[in-house]
Amino acid sequence: IETMRKVDTLVVDKTGTLTEGKPKLVTIKSLSSESEEDLLRLAGSLERESEHPLAAAIVQGALERKINLEKIEKFQSITGKGTKAQISGREIAIGNRALLTDLGISLGDSEGLANTLQEEGQTVMYVSINGKLSGFIGVADPIKETSIEAIRLLRESGMKVVMLTGDNRRTANAV
């Protein structure tokens, strides 16, 4: 406790500390002939096998819309990037920009809209089908009502507050 008086910086996690820790599906955007419902069906089917909180939000969003999820094969989780599997003979991947880069998939003209969603605090996950970008899904985790006041009070007391997150810079800045 005596040493604590010398502390001038507080490092906090974003998810579940500043935010509610209960992400929700917000955006579904198809960039191909797939309907938004079909895109969510594929993403939800794939993410049902994942343990990530953002995956759970996608699955919950699909179930709330009464979308029947499909059986998947050859599921792979790629730490820090996303997931991929086969569904009805098609190669499906969902994840961040790094995953698509690893898979050699171009983002094309989708970056502008994805950046806008990130600036609104959404985490954007790209969906590819058979090696081509098919759309993306945006998930947001609402900020706790108490976070803004708590950070204001900490800053007024002279404390520097730093947020750490695995999310991208645009989404982190929005939070």
PDB file of all heavy atoms in Angstrom, residues 26-45:
ATOM      1  N   VAL A  26     -23.985  -6.598 -34.524  1.00  0.00           N
ATOM      2  CA  VAL A  26     -24.541  -5.310 -34.911  1.00  0.00           C
ATOM      3  C   VAL A  26     -24.711  -5.202 -36.429  1.00  0.00           C
ATOM      4  O   VAL A  26     -25.737  -4.723 -36.904  1.00  0.00           O
ATOM      5  CB  VAL A  26     -23.643  -4.150 -34.399  1.00  0.00           C
ATOM      6  CG1 VAL A  26     -24.187  -2.804 -34.828  1.00  0.00           C
ATOM      7  CG2 VAL A  26     -23.484  -4.216 -32.889  1.00  0.00           C
ATOM      8  N   THR A  27     -23.711  -5.657 -37.179  1.00  0.00           N
ATOM      9  CA  THR A  27     -23.697  -5.446 -38.620  1.00  0.00           C
ATOM     10  C   THR A  27     -23.416  -6.746 -39.368  1.00  0.00           C
ATOM     11  O   THR A  27     -22.546  -7.512 -38.956  1.00  0.00           O
ATOM     12  CB  THR A  27     -22.608  -4.423 -39.006  1.00  0.00           C
ATOM     13  OG1 THR A  27     -22.844  -3.205 -38.305  1.00  0.00           O
ATOM     14  CG2 THR A  27     -22.584  -4.154 -40.500  1.00  0.00           C
ATOM     15  N   ILE A  28     -24.144  -6.952 -40.453  1.00  0.00           N
ATOM     16  CA  ILE A  28     -23.860  -8.037 -41.400  1.00  0.00           C
ATOM     17  C   ILE A  28     -23.841  -7.379 -42.766  1.00  0.00           C
ATOM     18  O   ILE A  28     -24.823  -6.749 -43.173  1.00  0.00           O
ATOM     19  CB  ILE A  28     -24.946  -9.133 -41.387  1.00  0.00           C
ATOM     20  CG1 ILE A  28     -25.188  -9.646 -39.978  1.00  0.00           C
ATOM     21  CG2 ILE A  28     -24.561 -10.276 -42.324  1.00  0.00           C
ATOM     22  CD1 ILE A  28     -26.519 -10.349 -39.813  1.00  0.00           C
ATOM     23  N   LYS A  29     -22.734  -7.497 -43.481  1.00  0.00           N
ATOM     24  CA  LYS A  29     -22.622  -6.856 -44.799  1.00  0.00           C
ATOM     25  C   LYS A  29     -22.108  -7.871 -45.811  1.00  0.00           C
ATOM     26  O   LYS A  29     -20.991  -8.367 -45.689  1.00  0.00           O
ATOM     27  CB  LYS A  29     -21.665  -5.654 -44.723  1.00  0.00           C
ATOM     28  CG  LYS A  29     -21.412  -4.984 -46.044  1.00  0.00           C
ATOM     29  CD  LYS A  29     -22.646  -4.319 -46.580  1.00  0.00           C
ATOM     30  CE  LYS A  29     -22.327  -3.567 -47.870  1.00  0.00           C
ATOM     31  NZ  LYS A  29     -23.511  -3.151 -48.568  1.00  0.00           N
ATOM     32  N   SER A  30     -22.941  -8.197 -46.788  1.00  0.00           N
ATOM     33  CA  SER A  30     -22.535  -9.096 -47.858  1.00  0.00           C
ATOM     34  C   SER A  30     -21.872  -8.291 -48.965  1.00  0.00           C
ATOM     35  O   SER A  30     -22.350  -7.212 -49.335  1.00  0.00           O
ATOM     36  CB  SER A  30     -23.737  -9.852 -48.414  1.00  0.00           C
ATOM     37  OG  SER A  30     -23.326 -10.676 -49.485  1.00  0.00           O
ATOM     38  N   LEU A  31     -20.781  -8.816 -49.481  1.00  0.00           N
ATOM     39  CA  LEU A  31     -20.066  -8.187 -50.591  1.00  0.00           C
ATOM     40  C   LEU A  31     -20.057  -9.115 -51.802  1.00  0.00           C
ATOM     41  O   LEU A  31     -19.235  -8.965 -52.700  1.00  0.00           O
ATOM     42  CB  LEU A  31     -18.626  -7.867 -50.168  1.00  0.00           C
ATOM     43  CG  LEU A  31     -18.478  -6.969 -48.943  1.00  0.00           C
ATOM     44  CD1 LEU A  31     -17.027  -6.920 -48.491  1.00  0.00           C
ATOM     45  CD2 LEU A  31     -18.997  -5.575 -49.228  1.00  0.00           C
ATOM     46  N   SER A  32     -20.951 -10.085 -51.788  1.00  0.00           N
ATOM     47  CA  SER A  32     -20.996 -11.094 -52.848  1.00  0.00           C
ATOM     48  C   SER A  32     -22.454 -11.442 -53.150  1.00  0.00           C
ATOM     49  O   SER A  32     -23.368 -10.752 -52.707  1.00  0.00           O
ATOM     50  CB  SER A  32     -20.244 -12.345 -52.393  1.00  0.00           C
ATOM     51  OG  SER A  32     -20.947 -12.975 -51.324  1.00  0.00           O
ATOM     52  N   SER A  33     -22.641 -12.537 -53.859  1.00  0.00           N
ATOM     53  CA  SER A  33     -23.996 -12.986 -54.180  1.00  0.00           C
ATOM     54  C   SER A  33     -24.686 -13.634 -52.976  1.00  0.00           C
ATOM     55  O   SER A  33     -25.888 -13.885 -53.011  1.00  0.00           O
ATOM     56  CB  SER A  33     -23.973 -13.970 -55.351  1.00  0.00           C
ATOM     57  OG  SER A  33     -23.206 -15.109 -55.003  1.00  0.00           O
ATOM     58  N   GLU A  34     -23.944 -13.895 -51.901  1.00  0.00           N
ATOM     59  CA  GLU A  34     -24.531 -14.461 -50.687  1.00  0.00           C
ATOM     60  C   GLU A  34     -25.432 -13.416 -50.030  1.00  0.00           C
ATOM     61  O   GLU A  34     -25.061 -12.244 -49.930  1.00  0.00           O
ATOM     62  CB  GLU A  34     -23.440 -14.853 -49.676  1.00  0.00           C
ATOM     63  CG  GLU A  34     -22.456 -15.881 -50.166  1.00  0.00           C
ATOM     64  CD  GLU A  34     -23.030 -17.273 -50.269  1.00  0.00           C
ATOM     65  OE1 GLU A  34     -23.965 -17.607 -49.516  1.00  0.00           O
ATOM     66  OE2 GLU A  34     -22.531 -18.036 -51.115  1.00  0.00           O
ATOM     67  N   SER A  35     -26.592 -13.848 -49.561  1.00  0.00           N
ATOM     68  CA  SER A  35     -27.444 -12.921 -48.815  1.00  0.00           C
ATOM     69  C   SER A  35     -26.829 -12.717 -47.432  1.00  0.00           C
ATOM     70  O   SER A  35     -25.979 -13.502 -46.996  1.00  0.00           O
ATOM     71  CB  SER A  35     -28.855 -13.501 -48.672  1.00  0.00           C
ATOM     72  OG  SER A  35     -28.837 -14.626 -47.804  1.00  0.00           O
ATOM     73  N   GLU A  36     -27.263 -11.675 -46.752  1.00  0.00           N
ATOM     74  CA  GLU A  36     -26.772 -11.446 -45.392  1.00  0.00           C
ATOM     75  C   GLU A  36     -27.152 -12.612 -44.488  1.00  0.00           C
ATOM     76  O   GLU A  36     -26.376 -13.014 -43.618  1.00  0.00           O
ATOM     77  CB  GLU A  36     -27.293 -10.111 -44.864  1.00  0.00           C
ATOM     78  CG  GLU A  36     -26.667  -8.937 -45.582  1.00  0.00           C
ATOM     79  CD  GLU A  36     -27.155  -7.589 -45.110  1.00  0.00           C
ATOM     80  OE1 GLU A  36     -28.084  -7.515 -44.270  1.00  0.00           O
ATOM     81  OE2 GLU A  36     -26.598  -6.582 -45.584  1.00  0.00           O
ATOM     82  N   GLU A  37     -28.342 -13.175 -44.694  1.00  0.00           N
ATOM     83  CA  GLU A  37     -28.767 -14.329 -43.899  1.00  0.00           C
ATOM     84  C   GLU A  37     -27.850 -15.524 -44.141  1.00  0.00           C
ATOM     85  O   GLU A  37     -27.434 -16.209 -43.200  1.00  0.00           O
ATOM     86  CB  GLU A  37     -30.211 -14.700 -44.215  1.00  0.00           C
ATOM     87  CG  GLU A  37     -30.719 -15.864 -43.389  1.00  0.00           C
ATOM     88  CD  GLU A  37     -32.181 -16.168 -43.645  1.00  0.00           C
ATOM     89  OE1 GLU A  37     -32.992 -15.225 -43.659  1.00  0.00           O
ATOM     90  OE2 GLU A  37     -32.491 -17.358 -43.817  1.00  0.00           O
ATOM     91  N   ASP A  38     -27.495 -15.787 -45.402  1.00  0.00           N
ATOM     92  CA  ASP A  38     -26.604 -16.900 -45.722  1.00  0.00           C
ATOM     93  C   ASP A  38     -25.211 -16.665 -45.139  1.00  0.00           C
ATOM     94  O   ASP A  38     -24.572 -17.589 -44.635  1.00  0.00           O
ATOM     95  CB  ASP A  38     -26.509 -17.113 -47.229  1.00  0.00           C
ATOM     96  CG  ASP A  38     -27.775 -17.729 -47.801  1.00  0.00           C
ATOM     97  OD1 ASP A  38     -28.533 -18.358 -47.034  1.00  0.00           O
ATOM     98  OD2 ASP A  38     -28.010 -17.577 -49.014  1.00  0.00           O
ATOM     99  N   LEU A  39     -24.751 -15.426 -45.208  1.00  0.00           N
ATOM    100  CA  LEU A  39     -23.444 -15.088 -44.642  1.00  0.00           C
ATOM    101  C   LEU A  39     -23.442 -15.351 -43.137  1.00  0.00           C
ATOM    102  O   LEU A  39     -22.503 -15.948 -42.596  1.00  0.00           O
ATOM    103  CB  LEU A  39     -23.128 -13.622 -44.935  1.00  0.00           C
ATOM    104  CG  LEU A  39     -21.682 -13.200 -44.818  1.00  0.00           C
ATOM    105  CD1 LEU A  39     -20.862 -13.825 -45.922  1.00  0.00           C
ATOM    106  CD2 LEU A  39     -21.584 -11.690 -44.903  1.00  0.00           C
ATOM    107  N   LEU A  40     -24.512 -14.950 -42.470  1.00  0.00           N
ATOM    108  CA  LEU A  40     -24.612 -15.179 -41.025  1.00  0.00           C
ATOM    109  C   LEU A  40     -24.757 -16.666 -40.720  1.00  0.00           C
ATOM    110  O   LEU A  40     -24.219 -17.150 -39.725  1.00  0.00           O
ATOM    111  CB  LEU A  40     -25.777 -14.382 -40.435  1.00  0.00           C
ATOM    112  CG  LEU A  40     -25.946 -14.462 -38.924  1.00  0.00           C
ATOM    113  CD1 LEU A  40     -24.672 -14.056 -38.179  1.00  0.00           C
ATOM    114  CD2 LEU A  40     -27.118 -13.594 -38.474  1.00  0.00           C
ATOM    115  N   ARG A  41     -25.448 -17.407 -41.559  1.00  0.00           N
ATOM    116  CA  ARG A  41     -25.575 -18.859 -41.373  1.00  0.00           C
ATOM    117  C   ARG A  41     -24.192 -19.518 -41.411  1.00  0.00           C
ATOM    118  O   ARG A  41     -23.852 -20.329 -40.555  1.00  0.00           O
ATOM    119  CB  ARG A  41     -26.464 -19.478 -42.444  1.00  0.00           C
ATOM    120  CG  ARG A  41     -26.531 -21.014 -42.367  1.00  0.00           C
ATOM    121  CD  ARG A  41     -27.397 -21.653 -43.443  1.00  0.00           C
ATOM    122  NE  ARG A  41     -28.795 -21.319 -43.204  1.00  0.00           N
ATOM    123  CZ  ARG A  41     -29.512 -20.454 -43.908  1.00  0.00           C
ATOM    124  NH1 ARG A  41     -28.963 -19.826 -44.932  1.00  0.00           N
ATOM    125  NH2 ARG A  41     -30.763 -20.205 -43.604  1.00  0.00           N
ATOM    126  N   LEU A  42     -23.397 -19.153 -42.389  1.00  0.00           N
ATOM    127  CA  LEU A  42     -22.054 -19.734 -42.513  1.00  0.00           C
ATOM    128  C   LEU A  42     -21.163 -19.317 -41.347  1.00  0.00           C
ATOM    129  O   LEU A  42     -20.480 -20.141 -40.736  1.00  0.00           O
ATOM    130  CB  LEU A  42     -21.425 -19.316 -43.850  1.00  0.00           C
ATOM    131  CG  LEU A  42     -22.104 -19.870 -45.098  1.00  0.00           C
ATOM    132  CD1 LEU A  42     -21.548 -19.198 -46.346  1.00  0.00           C
ATOM    133  CD2 LEU A  42     -21.950 -21.383 -45.163  1.00  0.00           C
ATOM    134  N   ALA A  43     -21.179 -18.032 -41.025  1.00  0.00           N
ATOM    135  CA  ALA A  43     -20.350 -17.525 -39.925  1.00  0.00           C
ATOM    136  C   ALA A  43     -20.779 -18.135 -38.596  1.00  0.00           C
ATOM    137  O   ALA A  43     -19.943 -18.562 -37.795  1.00  0.00           O
ATOM    138  CB  ALA A  43     -20.420 -16.000 -39.863  1.00  0.00           C
ATOM    139  N   GLY A  44     -22.083 -18.185 -38.350  1.00  0.00           N
ATOM    140  CA  GLY A  44     -22.580 -18.762 -37.106  1.00  0.00           C
ATOM    141  C   GLY A  44     -22.261 -20.237 -36.993  1.00  0.00           C
ATOM    142  O   GLY A  44     -21.902 -20.727 -35.921  1.00  0.00           O
ATOM    143  N   SER A  45     -22.373 -20.953 -38.110  1.00  0.00           N
ATOM    144  CA  SER A  45     -22.056 -22.386 -38.111  1.00  0.00           C
ATOM    145  C   SER A  45     -20.592 -22.606 -37.750  1.00  0.00           C
ATOM    146  O   SER A  45     -20.253 -23.475 -36.937  1.00  0.00           O
ATOM    147  CB  SER A  45     -22.349 -22.992 -39.486  1.00  0.00           C
ATOM    148  OG  SER A  45     -23.708 -22.871 -39.811  1.00  0.00           O
TER     149      SER A  45
END
